[in-house]
Amino acid sequence: MEAPQEDRIAVGRYSFRSRLFVGTGKYRDAQETREALAASGAEVVTLAVRRVDLGALRPGAAGEGSIVGHLVSSGYAILPNTAGCYSTEDALRTARLAREMLGTDLVKLEVIGDPKTLFPDVVATLEAARVLVKEGFTVLPYITDDPISCKKLEDIGCAAVMPLAAPIGSGLGIRNPYNLEIILEHAKVPVIVDAGVGTASDAAIAMEMGCHGVLMNTAIAGAREPVRMARAMKLAVEAGRDAYLAGRIPKRLYATASSPLEGVIGSTKS
C-alpha cells in the first residue's frame, strides 16, 4: 500500500509538520519551558519581542540560560509577536525590530484594542497588516472570529489568519463555532485558532472542525503539570486532524445497528 503523503501545514513560503504552535511565556523557569516545548512537538514557537535577549543572539552565544538561545540552537522556527502593542505604529516598529534581531520575516501581528479584554483593534490590525505585507513580512494576524475581517486580511496578503476562540488566557474554549465554520468555508489561507483554548479537547474540536492549526500558551504554561499538558495538546491536535481527514459520520436522531441484521432470529419475514 502506498504510504500517505506527509500532512504539513503551509504558511506562506514555510511548511511545518506540527500544527501546534506554542508560546514561551508564564513558565516557572527555563527548564520547564524547554521540557514543555519538547513535549509539545511544536516546530513554531512564538515569542514576545520585548523578551528577546540580544546577548543570546550574538555568534557563539548559545545562551545556556536563555530561552532565545535555546530556541535558536534547537532549530525552532521563531514567530516573533507584537504582543502589548496598542497602535499600528507600535506594532510596525516591533515587527521591524524583530526582523532585524531574529532574522525572520515571520511575524504574529497583534494590535490590542482594550487592556481588559485584550480583544484586537481590527482597524489598526488591518492597517498594520497592509504595511507589513508590502514590506515583505509573512504576516499571521491575531483577529476576532469575524469572517469579514479574516477575509480582508487574506485579501491584503496575510499568510494565515488567527481568529480567537475566546479571550486571551480565558481557557473558555471555542465560543463561536458557527463563525469559525464560516471563516473556514471561505478562507484560502490557513486558519489557526489563537487564544482561548483551555484544555486538550478544545484543541481537538478546533482541528476536527477543519482548522489548520492551533496556537496556545496559557493552556500549557498555566496547567498544574505543563509538560504533561503539552504532551496532551500534541496528541489532541494530531487526533483532531486525523478525525477531520477521516470524516465523521453523520449525526442521526435515532439509533442504527452496529452489526448486520442478516441471519438474526426474527430479522426476516417468513
Side-chain angles (χ1 to χ4, degrees), residues 201-222:
S201 57
D202 297 333
I205 289 171
M207 297 304 295
E208 287 177 5
M209 291 179 65
C211 293
H212 303 85
V214 180
L215 189 149
M216 66 184 71
N217 182 67
T218 305
I220 295 176

Side-chain angles (χ1 to χ4, degrees), residues 7 19 174 177 180-181 184 191 193 197 199-214 233 235-249 251:
D7 179 38
R19 292 170 181 271
I174 298 173
L180 204 51
E181 283 187 14
L184 287 165
V191 177
V193 165
V197 168
T199 189
S201 57
D202 297 333
I205 289 171
M207 297 304 295
E208 287 177 5
M209 291 179 65
C211 293
H212 303 85
V214 180
M233 291 298 187
L235 297 174
V237 167
E238 292 174 352
R241 177 66 177 173
D242 269 349
Y244 168 73
L245 294 175
R248 68 161 297 142
I249 63 170
K251 294 181 180 180

Side-chain angles (χ1 to χ4, degrees), residues 92 109 123-135 139 152-153 156 158:
L92 294 176
L109 174 62
V123 173
T125 301
L126 289 165
E127 291 175 352
R130 192 171 291 109
V131 174
L132 292 173
V133 168
K134 285 182 179 176
E135 293 183 3
V139 182
K152 288 184 176 180
L153 288 165
I156 285 171
C158 292

